[in-house]
Every structure is written in C-alpha cells, then in structure tokens.
Amino acid sequence: MAEGENEVRWDGLCSRDPAVRETALENIRQIVLRKTECLCSLEGPPSRPPDGHSDAASVDGLNKLLARLLMLSKRCPFKDVRERSEFILKSAQELGIRIPRPLGHGPSRFIPEKEILQVGSEDAQMHALFADSFAALGRLDNITLVMVFHPQYLESFLKTQHYLLQMDGPLPLHYRHYIGIMAAARHRCSYLVNLHVSDFLHVGGDPKWLNGLENAPPKLQNLGELNKVLAHRPWLITKEHIEGLLKAEEHSWSLAELVHAVVLLTHYHSLASFTFGCGISPEIHCDGGHTFRPPSVSNYCICDITNGNHSVDETQVNSAGNVSVSDSFFEVEALMEKMKQLQECRDEEEASQEEMASRFEIEKRESMLVLSSDDEEVSPARDVSRHFEDTSYGYKDFSRHGMHVPTFRVQDYCWEDHGYSLVNRLYPDVGQLIDEKFHIAYNLTYNTMAMHKDVDTSMLRRAIWNYIHCMFGIRYDDYDYGEINQLLDRSFKVYIKTVVCTPEKVTKRMYDSFWRQFKHSEKVHVNLLLIEARMQAELLYALRAITRYMT
C-alpha cells in the first residue's frame, strides 16, 4: 500500500485522445479498487482509520484519490471522464467505503450556483476553452468558472496565464509557481496558495521550500521586499529596490528574470483581489471543498453527490439588508440620470487644467477617507504566513505619518508608451498579451445596465478605472475627477477599495450592498476592471523604477 495520491498518473486524463483517457481511467480504477479491497479486509468499520501509522496513511491516500475523482466527476470538460469518475466513486461506496461529497454551493460563495454555467452544458466554443484550460492545468478551477460570464476576457486571461506559467521564459517553472505562492500569501489567499503549492510540487519543486520562505534560495528570499511593497504600497518602489536585486552578487537577478517576476507578482496580487472580490470557493478536491461526513438529511443518495444536489437550502439573498426592490431600482435610474447630466456638462464646457488638477487632489484626499473595512486586522494562518516576511506590513494610505507621495502623471510614464515596450523587450510577447487583457477588460461592454439596454457605459467604466488609479496616486491630466463622486456611491467605493487594497477583508455583505439591482455578471465585470486597473498600477510603479535604474 505504498501508492500515494501523488503516485497516481492523472496526466492521461488531460489528453484530447479518448483512448488515452480511457487507459488512464482504467489504471486509476484499478488502484482505487486495490486500495479499497485492502482496507475492507481490515477489521473494524472501513470508513474509520484503522490502528497503525501505515493503515492511517493508506486511508488518507485513498481519501485524496476519492476527492480528486469527485472533482473530476463535476469539473472535467470531458464527459467520459466525468461519467467514469462517478462510476468509480459508486463502486467504492458499494464496497463499503465512505466517499466524499461537495461542500458549499458551487464556484462562488456570493453567486448562486444555478446562475453559473454548469460544466457539460457549455457550447462548442466554450468547451474548446474549457478543454484547453483543463489540458494545461489538469483542472477547471473555480476562478475560470466565474470568469466564464465574460468569455472574451476569459480567453485572454487563460492565454496570458498559460504563457506566464508554462511557456518559454526567463524563469524556471518551479520558480514561477513559488513566486505565485509568495504573491498570493501577501493577501492571505490560501485558495491560490494551495493551488500553486500543488503545481510547484508537480513541476519538481523542492518540498523543503514550502516549509517557509527562509528555506527557499536566497535569490527568491531577496524578492520578498519587492513583493511586500508592490502588494501594499507600490508608490514606495524606487530604483534602489531594483538595483538591490540586480546587483546581489551570486544571487542577483537578470533584467529579464526580474520583469518576469514582477509580472507574476502583479498577476497574483490582482488574482487574489478577484478571488476574494467574487467569493471564490475552495476547489472540490482541496481542504474545505468536500467532506466525508454523511449529510444530515436521511434520504440523501449517491446520485446527489455527482449531481451536486445539496440538502441545504440554496436560496441566497441578492440584496443587502431590508432594501426594497423599488429602492434599488431607483438607484439605477439615478445613476443613469447622472451619466446623462455629466455628458451634457461635458458637451457644454470643459474645466481648465488647474481645475482638473485640483479635482484630482480632492478625490485623492477623499479616497483616503474611505475605509476599506470596519473589521479588525486579519491575522494570517500559519500555513500561508510562512511564505512571506514582515506579516504586520500592509496597506496604508500615502497620507499616513505626514508622508507626501508625488503624483504619478500618466503623461510622463504610461503603459502604452513606456511599460508595454519595456516588458516586450525583456520578456517577448508578454507585453502584447497583457496589453490585450487590459484593453478587453477596459472596453468590455454589452451596452446594458441592470434592466436597461442600449446604454453607453464608457463613462462609468472609466470612472471605476481612474478611481483605482487615483487611490494609487496616478493621475490622468485629461480626466475630470469630479465625475467619480457623481457616479460611484460610498458603498461602491468601500467595495472597490477593499477588493483592491485589502481583499482578504471582503465580505458577502459588501458584495451585496453595491449596485443591488445589477446582475451578477455585471458585478464580475466590475471585478475584472478592478483587478486589471490594480495590475496596471502596480506595473507602472515597478516598470518606472526599472526604467530609472536602466537610465
């Protein structure tokens, strides 16, 4: 019984060839059968770990296998794998083995499961996208299933992430996943940390590094300071941070390696924001995604396990508190009217440059008065905090302690004219992929707002994007920051600031309290704007520092 879950070959299930998948499934079935029969031959109830360390380890190994099969039965884009995984689970149960069932209500804690596309019901184009993702990662994760509200963006996101993690690049594969772990850990995002711990080991990473950052190579340890500042106070990044990494003697980074690392750090800081902002649930096969305890309802049957039926009532409240539908309807109407008025004002007169600069400073000061959360500090779990240093370091407004941060003027250094070309020069093709992703998120529209159709939402999208950049001290000379207060109410600003600056503090109440009449797909769209605006802001500060070092 030496076979552990990690010794089972899952790779064959990612093949496009049904014959290869069939062979892999048969091998897995035989391993599960062998383990099951061995446990059933032991004395005592088979579902209870027997005495002895080796027997307990055998039960644990089988449980991990069964949890992975449960995930495949619900999340694999290939129908044959879903059905065969369900069959293997039923076979184990018929032999007296307790099998797992899913916990929770689908990919998101904030969005009812029935509103999210079910695997197996997708169209041909979406199936191809799902199959690509599954073939690359060996899973169809919950982030993908929530982003699927916006297929055009999802395709760009998956293409970029695949390139960053798996295609040719300056950094070795295990370094890439470890940097993902470091970045996600800064925001206590155990969801992403767990995924990349698994990926890190899969590509041959040294398990000792996972015991704590101090066990990683000095070169990666040295990245800790940049990771910390970039995640929480990117406006403090200087060329000295860059110089320290590039001139660290035998542990130094090359410019190309550093750009790859910076892109990975910003990608995973932003993805942590999306994970918390959309209430992403643990993956089915991970801790918190399944249970071996029987359900409380006595008539629960095996078909429920694979069909995803739960004994708990699945109704979720879509609005916060006791706000009536008419009140939230009025909010949409008021927002539409403000957009119309602002457009008319724009057409009639244009503010002077001095007035525009003054409005930016006012909005920047006001953004500091918006509290991201009333909750107490979130103390990181040990298994996450081991991956970064200085756990007390977090987001602070740049007004704290009398600090004055000079305004970052986009006219002096911007993504389109400076950052894009620097990234593309040092890490070819990535600049193009990131640029495409920025543009899709920023320009994405279905010309709808809640129940209204044929609406030009560009003014609202720009207000959201520029508000985030304003919180980071970044100013657009040609934008009237007076529009932000007109279009974004306080509850929405609280949600934005929390998702972008302290995502680990996001609650369902915050998600429910803004745009109460809007669809979940529109709220996911908001999150796409938030994470891309955040990623661009971080990149601008880091790339400007690299440019200053180079010149």
Side-chain angles (χ1 to χ4, degrees), residues 215-273:
N215 296 290
K219 184 172 178 174
L220 282 167
Q221 292 182 42
N222 292 343
L223 197 63
E225 181 71 14
L226 184 66
N227 178 29
K228 176 179 83 172
V229 181
L230 201 54
H232 305 298
R233 307 171 203 176
W235 48 86
L236 299 181
I237 291 172
T238 64
K239 68 177 183 179
E240 283 71 32
H241 286 108
I242 307 305
E243 187 173 25
L245 290 164
L246 297 175
K247 293 187 174 180
E249 298 176 351
E250 72 268 28
H251 306 305
S252 64
W253 291 74
S254 71
L255 266 172
E257 287 175 331
L258 185 57
V259 166
H260 193 171
V262 162
V263 173
L264 283 167
L265 290 172
T266 59
H267 176 79
Y268 281 104
H269 294 156
S270 301
L271 202 52
S273 284

Side-chain angles (χ1 to χ4, degrees), residues 283-548:
E283 295 299 324
I284 289 174
H285 63 295
C286 293
D287 288 346
H290 63 274
T291 181
F292 284 86
R293 292 193 305 274
S296 55
V297 179
S298 58
N299 63 355
Y300 194 93
C301 71
I302 177 65
C303 57
D304 291 331
I305 293 166
T306 44
N307 291 337
N309 299 323
H310 304 281
S311 57
V312 184
D313 183 10
E314 293 206 11
T315 56
Q316 295 192 26
V317 180
N318 288 322
S319 59
N322 298 315
V323 179
S324 69
V325 173
S326 60
D327 284 347
S328 55
F329 174 82
F330 176 75
E331 288 174 355
V332 179
E333 298 299 314
L335 182 55
M336 295 275 292
E337 183 59 31
K338 283 176 184 174
M339 289 168 63
K340 180 182 173 186
Q341 290 172 359
L342 285 170
Q343 187 59 55
E344 290 171 353
C345 290
R346 266 190 199 171
D347 296 340
E348 289 174 12
E349 60 177 324
E350 190 172 315
S352 66
Q353 280 298 310
E354 292 78 10
E355 179 62 24
M356 300 269 261
S358 172
R359 289 175 185 175
F360 169 78
E361 292 300 328
I362 291 169
E363 188 56 48
K364 191 168 79 168
R365 284 196 299 274
E366 285 193 5
S367 76
M368 297 171 198
L369 301 175
V370 174
L371 298 176
S372 59
S373 172
D374 299 329
D375 299 336
E376 297 176 5
E377 287 296 314
V378 178
S379 55
R382 163 64 191 151
D383 62 334
V384 173
S385 64
R386 74 178 76 168
H387 300 299
F388 64 96
E389 299 168 322
D390 196 358
T391 56
S392 62
Y393 191 94
Y395 173 79
K396 289 283 188 292
D397 289 318
F398 32 68
S399 63
R400 299 289 176 93
H401 311 300
M403 183 187 301
H404 174 69
V405 176
T407 295
F408 186 124
R409 296 178 72 251
V410 170
Q411 277 64 24
D412 298 332
Y413 194 97
C414 68
W415 167 255
E416 289 81 4
D417 296 338
H418 307 93
Y420 168 81
S421 57
L422 177 62
V423 171
N424 244 19
R425 188 163 80 247
L426 294 168
Y427 187 9
D429 297 328
V430 164
Q432 179 67 42
L433 289 167
I434 295 171
D435 188 62
E436 178 186 279
K437 189 159 61 78
F438 285 157
H439 277 282
I440 289 173
Y442 187 88
N443 295 310
L444 186 66
T445 183
Y446 305 95
N447 299 113
T448 60
M449 269 182 62
M451 71 294 292
H452 295 278
K453 296 180 180 179
D454 302 317
V455 182
D456 179 359
T457 62
S458 56
M459 181 184 289
L460 186 55
R461 284 180 276 121
R462 191 177 185 192
I464 294 167
W465 187 280
N466 287 2
Y467 179 60
I468 294 159
H469 280 197
C470 179
M471 289 192 302
F472 283 89
I474 297 171
R475 180 189 165 210
Y476 295 80
D477 285 355
D478 62 348
Y479 183 68
D480 182 355
Y481 285 84
E483 293 185 4
I484 289 174
N485 267 347
Q486 294 289 314
L487 297 175
L488 312 183
D489 65 27
R490 189 161 189 84
S491 64
F492 191 16
K493 283 184 171 182
V494 168
Y495 178 79
I496 291 172
K497 188 169 185 179
T498 307
V499 170
V500 171
C501 301
T502 53
E504 60 276 12
K505 295 182 179 180
V506 175
T507 64
K508 187 175 186 300
R509 179 180 54 79
M510 288 181 195
Y511 175 89
D512 289 338
S513 68
F514 84 91
W515 283 10
R516 287 167 288 195
Q517 197 68 17
F518 284 71
K519 303 183 187 82
H520 288 289
S521 61
E522 291 172 308
K523 293 195 172 191
V524 172
H525 184 188
V526 165
N527 274 279
L528 299 183
L529 279 169
L530 304 192
I531 67 172
E532 294 301 338
R534 175 187 178 169
M535 182 174 179
Q536 189 177 98
E538 286 191 27
L539 276 176
L540 284 173
Y541 279 109
L543 296 173
R544 185 180 69 169
I546 292 173
T547 300
R548 286 176 173 175

